[in-house]
Amino acid sequence: MFKRNNSQLIKASKQNMTTHRQGKSICCCLLKPPSSDMDTKNEEISTRSRDLRNSTCGEIRYHRSGGKITPTTSILDGSNVYGREKDIEVVLGWLLKGEAAINGRVFVVAIGGKEGVGKTTLAQLVYNDDTVVTAFDLRAWVFDNSKDFDVVSITRTILLSVTDACNFSDNLDLLQVKLRESNNLDLLQVKLREKLSGKSCLIVLDHVCDLDSERWDLLCQPFAGSEVKIVVTTRNNSVPPIMAAMISTHQLEVLSDVDCLSMLVDHAKAKSNFDTDPKLQAIMEKIARKCKGLPRAAKHFGGRLLSTHYTEWEKI
């Protein structure tokens, strides 16, 4: 899953990038206004450059297609992950050793951090870890797309994840079909409590924006008597304290420039050129620094560079 920075060139880049950070050099770039006869290719490169600069702000949470928000899933995208070994170790330690509940309050591990820092990716890595798969009888992944923590929708998603109702076959009985379409919270929670009875279950609530104690307590009603543990990802620091008396919060930090560089090289599929071209190495080091430690920015930069010939990267 994890790739070590074995390349000597990337290790050398670390020294160069550290030196750059310690220095107090100031770069100034004067841009001439575009002329009416500007080459079309240069216009495209300029536009890409602006898009890439904007992408580092990390303010856009979701991929959008046709104006619609694309939800997250438990499935990893298959790309290499860098610099998160210790984070996984910490979260797994809390999750596997902590008690399921005390005084009716479920155990919660909260993953916090700024936009684009990799909270969802860390949750995915934990969710799919072999020790977790073995330790829990049931697992459920819920992407909270609501602004007000929709208890009915979340409950329905958990229920579908832990029953055969998520197997959309032609043999679904009438009750299963009813559960899939039902907004009856009582029916959903009664069936969920039956499914969870005597079972251990891990639930991931990804991207919880807002919450109050009333809605949280309502969601947790079917968990009584079961070994339910929850991982939640959120930017809102006021969310975790509402969730449980037993809670551990892991604040996810930004990646190092070297880890960002490794991600950038991977997503741009430029390792062969990177290893043999010192000029290209310098360009990618500069781009990696602009990622400001955000994995999402590194992925976005890498994807955009992939669509541009490497001889033009200096213009970007």
Side-chain angles (χ1 to χ4, degrees), residues 45-245:
I45 292 174
S46 178
T47 299
R48 289 177 181 175
S49 179
R50 287 192 299 271
D51 291 343
L52 291 173
R53 287 197 301 270
N54 292 336
S55 72
T56 62
C57 298
E59 296 176 353
I60 301 176
R61 173 61 181 88
Y62 309 108
H63 301 291
R64 294 179 179 270
S65 177
K68 296 182 179 180
I69 297 176
T70 303
T72 66
T73 75
S74 63
I75 300 175
L76 289 159
D77 64 8
S79 60
N80 298 323
V81 179
Y82 294 90
R84 293 305 186 204
E85 293 90 342
K86 292 183 179 179
D87 298 293
I88 293 177
E89 183 179 349
V90 169
V91 175
L92 284 177
W94 288 338
L95 196 60
L96 298 175
K97 296 178 182 178
E99 298 183 49
I102 288 182
N103 298 326
R105 306 290 285 182
V106 298
F107 182 87
V108 178
V109 175
I111 301 174
K114 64 172 65 176
E115 277 297 305
V117 78
K119 299 184 293 297
T120 296
T121 299
L122 178 57
Q124 290 170 329
L125 290 167
V126 170
Y127 187 89
N128 291 285
D129 189 89
D130 290 339
T131 58
V132 168
V133 174
T134 302
F136 292 92
D137 300 317
L138 303 168
R139 293 177 299 149
W141 180 281
V142 182
F143 171 74
D144 181 24
N145 191 27
S146 63
K147 294 182 179 180
D148 57 353
F149 198 76
D150 188 340
V151 175
V152 174
S153 176
I154 293 172
T155 302
R156 186 192 306 111
T157 301
I158 296 172
L159 178 58
L160 292 177
S161 297
V162 300
T163 65
D164 291 338
C166 61
N167 298 324
F168 300 112
S169 66
D170 295 332
N171 298 322
L172 289 177
D173 60 33
L174 183 60
L175 177 59
Q176 289 175 323
V177 173
K178 186 176 180 179
L179 291 176
R180 285 171 52 187
E181 300 175 351
S182 176
N183 287 320
N184 185 328
L185 183 60
D186 179 66
L187 174 63
L188 294 172
Q189 290 205 335
V190 168
K191 299 306 294 184
L192 179 57
R193 183 176 60 184
E194 292 175 1
K195 292 296 182 181
L196 293 178
S197 180
K199 303 287 187 178
S200 60
C201 181
L202 170 66
I203 299 171
V204 172
L205 300 177
D206 188 34
H207 192 252
V208 177
C209 296
D210 193 17
L211 183 64
D212 58 45
S213 57
E214 182 179 357
R215 284 174 290 174
W216 177 251
D217 290 341
L218 182 60
L219 177 72
C220 291
Q221 284 180 166
F223 304 157
S226 305
E227 296 183 14
V228 174
K229 294 184 180 181
I230 296 176
V231 173
V232 57
T233 69
T234 181
R235 287 178 298 155
N236 188 345
N237 292 331
S238 66
V239 165
I242 296 173
M243 288 186 157

Side-chain angles (χ1 to χ4, degrees), residues 12-27 114 253-261 285-294:
S13 297
K14 181 176 181 180
Q15 298 177 348
N16 295 336
M17 297 169 89
T18 301
T19 303
H20 176 91
R21 280 185 166 180
Q22 293 174 345
K24 297 182 179 180
S25 59
I26 299 177
C27 297
K114 64 172 65 176
E253 301 296 334
V254 297
L255 295 177
S256 68
D257 286 343
V258 176
D259 286 329
C260 277
L261 177 62
E285 287 171 9
K286 292 178 182 179
I287 297 175
R289 285 192 289 269
K290 290 180 180 295
C291 293
K292 298 180 180 179
L294 299 178

